[in-house]
Amino acid sequence: MLKTLIEAFALISTWEVIIAMLAASVYGLVIGSLPGLSATMATALLVPVTFYLSPIAAIATIVAASSMAIFSGDIPGALLRIPGTPASAAYADEAYAMTRKGEAELALGAGVWFSAVGGIAGTLSLMILAPPLAEIALSFSTFEYFWLAFLGLMCATLVARSSPVKAIAGMFIGLLVSCIGIENPGGVPRFTFGITDLFGGIEPIPALVGVFAVAQVMRAMLTPEPPPIPRRKFGSIMAGQWLLTKKYHWQMTRGNIIGIIIGVLPGAGADMAAWVSYAMSKRFSKEPEKFGTGHVEGLVEAGASNNASIASGWVPSLLFGIPGDTIAAIAIGVLYMKGLNPARRCSPKKRRACMRST
Amino acid sequence: MRLPDRVTGLFLVGLGAAAAYGGWQLPPVPGQPVGPNVFPLVIGTGLALCGLAIAFGIGHSFEEEEELIPVEGGKPTPPTGKLYGLRALLPPALLLFYVVVADKLGFIITAALIVFVTSTALGARWKLSLPLAALAPIGIHLIFSKLLRVPLPAGLLPMPW
């Protein structure tokens, strides 16, 4: 365990990886904090860039950008009441209420601090959980993989917030798109309509950019822009975070654990973790009447939860190839393109490397 | 712009039926139970069934109305003209435009047109959108040709690098 850990650190401590992580973090921060541009879109737009990076740097880029984007979604949530990513939607109201009370610094700081704590807790869980689960994954045969793939597809319908029928219909449309091309048992051109460009099938990158990025631009065409924020001076956002940690350490731990559990479940991602944790925090709070009026407790728990779920969401992605959420789905695509196939074809060493980059 | 569920559902039924029919036409592989026709058949049938369910409003009760978060100080009033909804079709239309025109006009000119139209549609004044249309394509061209080494169509206006 310790040896692989050191090996993994050696793998990521090259200039290329560090610079890529730094740049990806800044990029994720910017995209996540722009309302309407989700963490998923940030990741999807990164895919073409990862093409030109080494495998480790590519994974590091995706991981860094996605976790940064999830955290920075709190920023417009707190300041504008518009969650930057769906994962911040659960407590955007609460954070905005704090901003109105003049506690914007505290709300933002809680977002940063407890997101970071959550991310570390999730990563630790990934390191501890992944090896025993990998043993199970190694003994899988074709039948298990079929049902696992089936489970993954079904989970895709669970995450949709709309009606399950529409989600299943969406899944079928996706499957239909994947039928295009000559990669089928008979090797006959299928649904190509005589267009040679379609013979190779629809590649994942254009599909991802089309589904996530173009759709977002289409949505932007119809939504009016948010009003400008009044200017004021900001204090330090990290002030008072340590006091909060001591006061709400139990809430933080509970948020981390819930986030890890939800992240490990395939198909349930950061936004679900945030909602569940926020609800839980309210339910078990000593002062539930303060919720909704700008109370930091729910923010602590949900903030710790959504980032923990991002990290532990890599467990099903790396071991079984089932994405925990849309970001992981894109990341799996990147892994495949880099030859680091998730599931059993990913050698243990490389898998540890993927793990560490979180 | 929101289409009624009935229209979407019936469209899906049509798409599913077409897919199943298309799959039916494909030749099976002799001596193998699973040929190229199986997946389109299954998917097409499933899609058609889902389309029917949507058209008849099954599962409608699960849907939540999208919550518009009220903004302090003046509600945003989206202009509601008949043509306003069609703006959503602009991005895919521009993509098609790129596919058709890019090889003849070249990347720079096509991208400039697309940037100008998109930024204007998103509410930029011409003072912003014109310089943006002039500079953004050059920047993107630099990134693609220098950093990513992807050749873009030169067309009428080849870049000096």
Side-chain angles (χ1 to χ4, degrees), chain A residues 52 96 163 166 190 218 221 227, chain B residues 5 36 59 71-72 87 148:
Chain A
Y52 301 91
Y96 185 66
S163 88
K166 283 186 184 170
R190 189 158 64 177
M218 288 169 74
M221 287 279 173
Chain B
D5 273 0
V71 183
E72 297 287 307
R87 288 158 54 108
L148 306 178

Side-chain angles (χ1 to χ4, degrees), chain A:
Chain A
M1 180 97 186
L2 198 66
K3 201 176 142 229
T4 44
L5 199 65
I6 294 167
E7 267 176 31
F9 268 114
L11 276 175
I12 60 164
S13 53
T14 62
W15 280 113
E16 189 205 1
V17 178
I18 291 172
I19 290 172
M21 274 161 75
L22 205 66
S25 304
V26 174
Y27 165 80
L29 188 71
V30 172
I31 299 279
S33 60
L34 292 171
L37 302 184
S38 65
T40 312
M41 180 179 165
T43 326
L45 287 180
L46 259 187
V47 175
V49 179
T50 61
F51 238 76
Y52 301 91
L53 298 171
S54 74
I56 304 288
I59 299 159
T61 315
I62 297 277
V63 172
S66 62
S67 36
M68 266 323 242
I70 291 287
F71 139 68
S72 68
D74 297 356
I75 298 173
L79 298 180
L80 289 171
R81 209 184 176 194
I82 305 166
T85 58
S88 320
Y91 48 86
D93 274 352
E94 191 79 62
Y96 185 66
M98 286 181 72
T99 304
R100 265 191 314 195
K101 276 165 64 182
E103 294 174 353
E105 289 91 346
L106 194 65
L108 288 174
V112 178
W113 177 247
F114 293 101
S115 291
V117 173
I120 293 168
T123 312
L124 285 177
S125 81
L126 178 59
M127 284 160 63
I128 296 163
L129 278 179
L133 282 173
E135 296 294 316
I136 306 173
L138 277 174
S139 56
F140 274 18
S141 67
T142 324
F143 297 99
E144 283 85 5
Y145 269 101
F146 170 77
W147 288 111
L148 212 53
F150 197 75
L151 178 75
L153 286 175
M154 283 294 117
C155 285
T157 65
L158 271 184
V159 280
R161 258 179 256 153
S162 183
S163 88
V165 180
K166 283 186 184 170
I168 295 172
M171 184 196 80
F172 275 126
I173 293 176
L175 287 175
L176 188 60
V177 169
S178 71
C179 279
I180 297 171
I182 53 172
E183 274 210 19
N184 55 52
V188 279
R190 189 158 64 177
F191 301 134
T192 54
F193 305 105
I195 303 167
T196 38
D197 287 337
L198 287 179
F199 272 41
I202 308 266
E203 296 284 329
I205 300 177
L208 287 172
V209 173
V211 169
F212 294 111
V214 177
Q216 196 61 56
V217 179
M218 288 169 74
R219 216 168 286 144
M221 287 279 173
L222 295 179
T223 37
E225 52 181 308
I229 333 166
R231 285 177 184 279
R232 77 171 178 88
K233 267 226 156 79
F234 262 93
S236 165
I237 61 167
M238 291 318 281
Q241 294 308 326
W242 183 243
L243 280 178
L244 278 183
T245 317
K246 275 196 282 191
K247 189 174 175 195
Y248 293 119
H249 66 97
W250 170 236
Q251 278 85 344
M252 184 187 87
T253 321
R254 197 169 53 197
N256 284 339
I257 294 172
I258 298 282
I260 289 167
I261 295 173
I262 292 183
V264 168
L265 294 178
D271 41 345
M272 214 183 275
W275 282 107
V276 170
S277 280
Y278 185 74
M280 197 133 178
S281 177
K282 191 173 178 181
R283 172 75 183 72
F284 289 110
S285 173
K286 285 195 194 94
E287 31 198 13
E289 72 283 350
K290 279 195 183 170
F291 274 73
T293 60
H295 188 46
V296 77
E297 194 179 342
L299 226 72
V300 169
E301 187 155 348
S305 174
N306 63 7
N307 269 67
S309 82
I310 286 286
S312 71
W314 290 89
V315 171
S317 320
L318 292 180
L319 296 184
F320 306 114
I322 293 185
D325 53 17
T326 41
I327 298 171
I330 299 168
I332 289 176
V334 173
L335 288 173
Y336 268 109
M337 282 186 287
K338 287 290 167 192
L340 292 170
N341 295 1
R344 63 172 158 183
R345 282 152 303 219
C346 184
S347 76
K349 190 176 165 192
K350 280 178 179 171
R351 191 182 289 142
R352 301 253 156 74
C354 323
M355 275 161 52
R356 249 333 293 174
S357 350
T358 47

Side-chain angles (χ1 to χ4, degrees), chain B residues 115-126:
Chain B
V115 170
F116 181 74
V117 173
T118 318
S119 51
T120 313
L122 285 171
R125 307 255 168 80
W126 63 268

